[in-house]
Amino acid sequence: NAGVTQTPKFQVLKTGQSMTLQCAQDMNHNSMYWYRQDPGMGLRLIYYSASEGTTDKGEVPNGYNVSRLNKREFSLRLESAAPSQTSVYFCASSEGAANYGYTFGSGTRLTVV
Amino acid sequence: DQQVKQNSPSLSVQEGRISILNCDYTNSMFDYFLWYKKYPAEGPTFLISISSIKDKNEDGRFTVFLNKSAKHLSLHIVPSQPGDSAVYFCAASKKQGAQKLVFGQGTRLTINP
């Protein structure tokens, strides 16, 4: 079972470049999430999709857009990357009730220079 | 405004002893609390959870305690093993609404032989 798959694992961007982080889950989960992890800040929610066809902003959505392509896939796009977006990005999915716990992908380490 | 706080960035414990990780929260609407464990270059993995209607939940060597009046929870690991060395995140969610997880900053636990 692959669980949650994120691509790419590493990426270096120049300021102003754009890119899309891909996430796919094979557990038939309804809800999917994008978090970023920064030192001393924990995991902060960027965007989430409670179910297919819906997306909502989280705690730190500025500079990002998302697409819930289908039930399996949830992508995160940086339209014009900034050094402040240097971070480790995690995608997660869940059954729909957060108390069941999330399943996380292994992360994408993004550096913006 | 940090709704979930882990005030100890790091903790060092001798193998075989008890590890106690602490977490405080400010939002009285939180209904479920979870602990995640994270190894380097991997995504967080679910460890144990507790509902607000309970004050203790045990799973093998791991026990989570919840003190609602103090808005405090703790994770006890007994006995501590070298493989427990990781970063531990506490997280909280509301039963109603979008059921997003709010994470603390994390505590790096090191188990010394």
Side-chain angles (χ1 to χ4, degrees):
Chain A
N1 287 337
V4 178
T5 302
Q6 289 184 237
T7 55
K9 292 190 182 301
F10 302 93
Q11 184 71 48
V12 178
L13 288 179
K14 293 183 178 179
T15 298
Q17 286 186 318
S18 63
M19 79 161 295
T20 300
L21 282 66
Q22 307 286 352
C23 176
Q25 51 94 5
D26 62 1
M27 296 168 288
N28 203 36
H29 285 169
N30 288 315
S31 302
M32 298 185 74
Y33 312 83
W34 277 105
Y35 282 83
R36 59 179 287 174
Q37 184 194 4
D38 302 291
M41 303 293 288
L43 292 153
R44 293 181 293 168
L45 182 63
I46 305 171
Y47 270 94
Y48 66 100
S49 171
S51 61
E52 185 179 357
T54 69
T55 60
D56 284 288
K57 295 179 180 179
E59 181 185 353
V60 288
N62 291 344
Y64 306 95
N65 285 301
V66 291
S67 295
R68 182 74 183 266
L69 304 170
N70 47 55
K71 192 170 186 179
R72 290 187 63 250
E73 298 172 287
F74 188 39
S75 63
L76 178 72
R77 182 160 179 84
L78 288 70
E79 291 290 350
S80 179
S84 61
Q85 294 178 305
T86 293
S87 186
V88 181
Y89 292 85
F90 290 100
C91 176
S93 68
S94 73
E95 297 256 340
N99 53 293
Y100 291 144
Y102 291 177
T103 299
F104 281 89
S106 58
T108 296
R109 183 173 293 275
L110 175 67
T111 302
V112 183
V113 297
Chain B
D1 179 29
Q2 191 81 26
Q3 297 185 70
V4 178
K5 297 180 182 180
Q6 294 175 257
N7 292 317
S8 297
S10 62
L11 177 66
S12 185
V13 174
Q14 194 170 3
E15 183 179 357
R17 299 290 185 105
I18 183 171
S19 295
I20 300 176
L21 295 94
N22 294 304
C23 179
D24 298 296
Y25 62 96
T26 58
N27 192 332
S28 58
M29 298 296 289
F30 286 141
D31 295 283
Y32 291 97
F33 303 88
L34 307 90
W35 284 93
Y36 282 80
K37 178 179 181 179
K38 184 184 180 304
Y39 291 119
E42 295 183 10
T45 55
F46 172 73
L47 191 56
I48 192 170
S49 65
I50 187 167
S51 164
S52 60
I53 63 173
K54 296 184 176 182
D55 55 18
K56 177 183 175 181
N57 188 27
E58 191 171 356
D59 183 2
R61 296 186 297 114
F62 303 91
T63 302
V64 56
F65 295 91
L66 176 61
N67 182 334
K68 284 179 290 185
S69 61
K71 294 190 177 68
H72 177 84
L73 65 154
S74 61
L75 174 68
H76 292 210
I77 306 173
V78 183
S80 300
Q81 299 175 354
D84 296 329
S85 294
V87 177
Y88 290 79
F89 292 97
C90 69
S93 74
K94 304 173 191 177
K95 186 176 182 179
Q96 302 299 325
Q99 300 163 342
K100 303 163 289 190
L101 284 181
V102 179
F103 286 85
Q105 305 96 312
T107 296
R108 182 178 301 277
L109 175 64
T110 302
I111 306 301
N112 301 307

